[in-house]
Amino acid sequence: MYVVKTCATCTMDLTILLFMTIFGLSDAVSMKRKAYFNGTAYLPCPFTKAQNITLSELVVFWQDQQKLVLYEHYLGAEKLDSVNAKYLGRTSFDGDNWTLRLHHVTIKDMGSYDCFIQGKPPTGSVILQQTSTELSVIANFSEPEILLTQNVTRNSGTNLTCSSKQGYPKPKKMYFLITNSTDEYGDDMQISQDNVTELFSVSVSLSHLFPDGVDNMTIVCVLEMESTNISSKPVILVLPEFHPIGKHLIEISAGIIIVILFPLLVFIVAKTCCKKPGRPRNTTCTSERDSSADRRSSINLEELEPQIASAKPNAE
């Protein structure tokens, strides 16, 4: 199929087209290329007759699948008259390798691109070669990340979520793998797509009980793409256990508290006893201590002074 650029400077009549068909002056080449999102796409246009013709003798231009012009190199110089606004400032031409670089690639740039090389004989423009390139765009998903949504217990088990963001194309599935098992675990994969970038974000959830006799599990989240898999860092979940040392620490702490508080309590009780109503003002308040059956109490010397005074005359 021979395509003529629809612009005033690149028209071609039926006679030239018939001449091309008869003498086989046009070659068609098909290629496939991949580019990374926000990176650079390379759209080749290899010219097999380049050794005999220079760029200053040719018109080279690229069109997308909607026939919008990306770039035009006209008789040795860049020409922007017919370049579509969406491609202005996004392209650069490698004249040594006959390749157009498309910068800041987006998901919307996926599709088919055609490069045309035209000769400029006196009778008009002749398409010498056509190259078609099918461009696909890839965006790497972020590494899957596992998050624990609640504390791990024997009764409730574990509740996890795994998520990965900003990738393209849409992944096949997402799941969890658990120690010593080849089974895939998890709910259905949840998918969302950004309205502007058209990139995908995905997530999956898991609720899982610890098997009997098992107190730890290693869990990995896997994002499965068309041609590769992306795995999360492994997460090790361990059931919390009550250790005997914890009990001893509690008992030791309680003993220390008692040793510190007991003397204080005794002092407070003693002070309270001294202040009871009805106790003589001069009565000495002392602590009482049981030792076998003996009890000791203090003596008030002021109460004995009258007896001592009356005893002195008799003694004289």
Side-chain angles (χ1 to χ4, degrees):
M1 178 181 179
Y2 302 102
V3 180
V4 178
K5 182 179 175 184
T6 56
C7 67
T9 60
C10 302
T11 57
M12 181 176 61
D13 58 24
L14 184 59
T15 303
I16 299 297
L17 178 60
L18 181 61
F19 183 80
M20 290 167 47
T21 305
I22 294 173
F23 291 96
L25 296 179
S26 178
D27 300 318
V29 180
S30 296
M31 297 185 175
K32 291 185 178 181
R33 290 291 184 271
K34 290 182 180 180
Y36 283 99
F37 180 82
N38 208 32
T40 299
Y42 296 88
L43 306 177
C45 192
F47 187 37
T48 57
K49 304 178 180 64
Q51 65 273 20
N52 300 321
I53 306 176
T54 64
L55 277 172
S56 60
E57 303 174 70
L58 300 171
V59 175
V60 184
F61 65 94
W62 279 261
Q63 286 182 340
D64 64 14
Q65 54 196 355
Q66 297 175 331
K67 307 305 179 187
L68 301 177
V69 177
L70 285 74
Y71 178 85
E72 182 177 4
H73 200 81
Y74 186 82
L75 301 180
E78 184 179 82
K79 186 176 181 181
L80 303 178
D81 294 355
S82 54
V83 174
N84 186 268
K86 67 182 288 188
Y87 296 113
L88 285 173
R90 293 183 59 203
T91 60
S92 59
F93 179 58
D94 180 359
D96 293 332
N97 297 304
W98 297 70
T99 299
L100 182 69
R101 295 182 288 254
L102 176 61
H103 306 287
H104 310 299
V105 172
T106 69
I107 302 302
K108 293 181 176 65
D109 290 324
M110 288 195 307
S112 180
Y113 294 87
D114 292 311
C115 170
F116 299 96
I117 300 177
Q118 293 180 335
K120 292 290 290 183
T123 53
S125 298
V126 179
I127 296 181
L128 303 176
Q129 181 172 299
Q130 175 185 348
T131 301
S132 296
T133 302
E134 189 69 27
L135 179 65
S136 59
V137 179
I138 301 171
N140 289 330
F141 279 88
S142 63
E143 181 182 283
E145 181 180 9
I146 298 177
L147 294 178
L148 185 65
T149 58
Q150 72 172 43
N151 293 332
V152 179
T153 65
R154 171 67 69 181
N155 294 331
S156 64
T158 179
N159 289 304
L160 306 170
T161 62
C162 179
S163 61
S164 182
K165 301 176 181 179
Q166 302 296 296
Y168 197 93
K170 183 189 299 184
K172 294 174 63 177
K173 57 183 177 179
M174 192 179 206
Y175 54 87
F176 292 93
L177 292 177
I178 301 178
T179 312
N180 300 327
S181 175
T182 57
D183 295 336
E184 298 175 1
Y185 296 87
D187 301 330
D188 293 337
M189 181 175 65
Q190 303 299 311
I191 305 175
S192 61
Q193 188 173 24
D194 190 284
N195 292 331
V196 177
T197 65
E198 299 187 17
L199 299 179
F200 292 102
S201 294
V202 295
S203 64
V204 67
S205 300
L206 172 67
S207 295
H208 189 73
L209 293 174
F210 279 78
D212 293 339
V214 175
D215 59 5
N216 67 84
M217 294 188 296
T218 300
I219 298 180
V220 175
C221 179
V222 179
L223 181 64
E224 187 173 321
M225 307 293 293
E226 190 66 37
S227 58
T228 186
N229 292 347
I230 308 173
S231 298
S232 69
K233 293 181 175 65
V235 172
I236 301 175
L237 302 176
V238 180
L239 281 175
E241 297 291 342
F242 184 78
H243 300 288
I245 188 172
K247 182 178 179 181
H248 295 328
L249 288 175
I250 294 174
E251 293 175 349
I252 293 172
S253 300
I256 293 174
I257 293 173
I258 292 173
V259 169
I260 294 174
L261 293 181
F262 183 74
L264 181 61
L265 291 174
V266 171
F267 176 76
I268 294 173
V269 170
K271 294 290 288 185
T272 304
C273 290
C274 290
K275 295 180 179 180
K276 285 184 178 180
R279 180 181 292 276
R281 289 182 58 186
N282 295 327
T283 301
T284 301
C285 183
T286 62
S287 61
E288 298 180 357
R289 185 181 302 171
D290 289 338
S291 175
S292 300
D294 296 338
R295 296 175 57 87
R296 296 180 181 179
S297 61
S298 63
I299 301 176
N300 194 326
L301 294 178
E302 293 180 0
E303 294 178 356
L304 297 179
E305 285 182 0
Q307 300 178 19
I308 296 172
S310 60
K312 282 184 179 181
N314 295 334
E316 293 176 354

